[in-house]
C-alpha cells in the first residue's frame, strides 16, 4: 500500500474534500444519525461551501492523500466558541474508512494542531474517534452541545488537552 502524505489544502481540493466529507459522515455516523439525513448529504453543495472556505482562508485546512487521491482532511483555527477553553480548536478531522489504520489521522492531527493545547467536539458515542483523541492527550471537560441532524439532534462532547 502506498504511503499517505499530508499537505495544506488549496481551493482546487474543494471537491475532493467534499467527497471525503460526505462519504466519511455516511461511514462514521451510520446508526448514530438518521439514515435519511445522511442520504441527503450533497457533494456538490459541500464542494461549493468548501471552495468558499478555502478561498477566504477561514481556517487552516489540510488534506491526506494516497496515490494522488484525497482520503482525509482536517481543519483547525482560533476557536469558534465564545467560551473556548483553549486558543486552538481542531474543527474537523475526517478519513475514509479505507484509510483507517494508515496513519493518516495522526498525520492530519499533527499538521493541524501539533502537540499544542487545543479543544475539539466529538459526537457522544463515537468511540473510535474518542479513543484516537484520548491517545493524543485529550479528555472530556464536561461541556456538551447538540447539533441538528435532519429531524433529530446529536449530542457532542468537548475534549481538551
Amino acid at each position: 500500500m502506498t504511503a499517505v502524505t499530508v499537505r495544506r489544502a488549496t481551493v482546487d481540493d474543494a471537491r475532493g474534500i467534499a467527497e471525503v466529507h460526505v462519504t466519511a459522515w455516511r461511514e462514521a455516523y451510520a446508526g448514530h444519525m438518521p439514515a435519511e439525513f445522511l442520504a441527503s448529504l450533497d457533494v456538490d453543495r459541500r464542494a461549493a461551501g468548501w471552495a468558499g472556505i478555502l478561498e477566504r482562508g477561514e481556517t487552516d485546512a489540510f488534506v491526506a492523500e494516497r496515490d494522488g487521491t484525497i482520503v482525509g482532511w482536517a481543519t483547525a483555527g482560533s476557536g469558534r466558541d465564545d467560551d473556548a477553553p483553549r486558543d486552538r480548536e481542531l474543527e474537523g478531522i475526517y478519513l475514509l474508512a479505507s484509510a483507517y489504520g494508515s496513519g493518516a489521522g495522526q498525520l492530519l492531527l499533527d499538521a493541524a494542531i501539533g502537540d499544542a493545547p487545543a479543544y475539539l467536539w466529538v459526537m457522544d458515542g463515537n468511540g473510535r474517534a474518542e479513543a484516537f483523541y484520548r491517545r493524543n492527550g485529550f479528555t472530556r471537560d464536561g461541556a456538551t452541545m447538540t447539533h441538528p441532524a435532519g429531524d433529530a439532534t446529536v449530542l457532542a462532547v468537548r475534549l481538551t488537552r
Side-chain angles (χ1 to χ4, degrees):
M1 184 175 293
T2 306
V4 173
T5 59
V6 170
R7 63 172 173 77
R8 190 167 288 276
T10 70
V11 174
D12 293 338
D13 296 319
R15 178 100 189 152
I17 292 170
E19 290 170 353
V20 169
H21 201 165
V22 168
T23 303
W25 271 47
R26 289 177 178 159
E27 292 171 343
Y29 298 144
H32 298 282
M33 290 184 168
E36 304 80 30
F37 172 75
L38 293 172
S40 74
L41 298 175
D42 181 81
V43 171
D44 291 334
R45 186 173 49 229
R46 296 260 172 168
W50 275 109
I53 289 167
L54 294 166
E55 284 173 357
R56 292 185 297 275
E58 293 176 10
T59 188
D60 295 329
F62 301 87
V63 294
E65 292 180 310
R66 186 178 349 183
D67 296 326
T69 300
I70 295 173
V71 297
W73 59 266
T75 56
S78 60
R80 300 170 289 182
D81 302 294
D82 291 336
D83 65 341
R86 305 286 186 267
D87 292 335
R88 189 92 171 135
E89 178 187 6
L90 181 63
E91 300 163 347
I93 184 168
Y94 288 95
L95 289 177
L96 297 178
S98 63
Y100 291 173
S102 68
Q106 190 65 55
L107 291 170
L108 285 166
L109 181 87
D110 293 346
I113 61 171
D115 60 2
Y119 76 100
L120 60 94
W121 293 94
V122 65
M123 179 188 297
D124 192 34
N126 187 345
R128 179 182 190 86
E130 192 165 348
F132 170 76
Y133 295 125
R134 285 186 183 281
R135 284 193 306 273
N136 281 279
F138 288 88
T139 58
R140 289 184 183 217
D141 69 3
T144 63
M145 75 162 105
T146 57
H147 291 281
D151 293 333
T153 57
V154 173
L155 179 66
V157 296
R158 190 170 66 195
L159 294 102
T160 58
R161 73 164 182 205

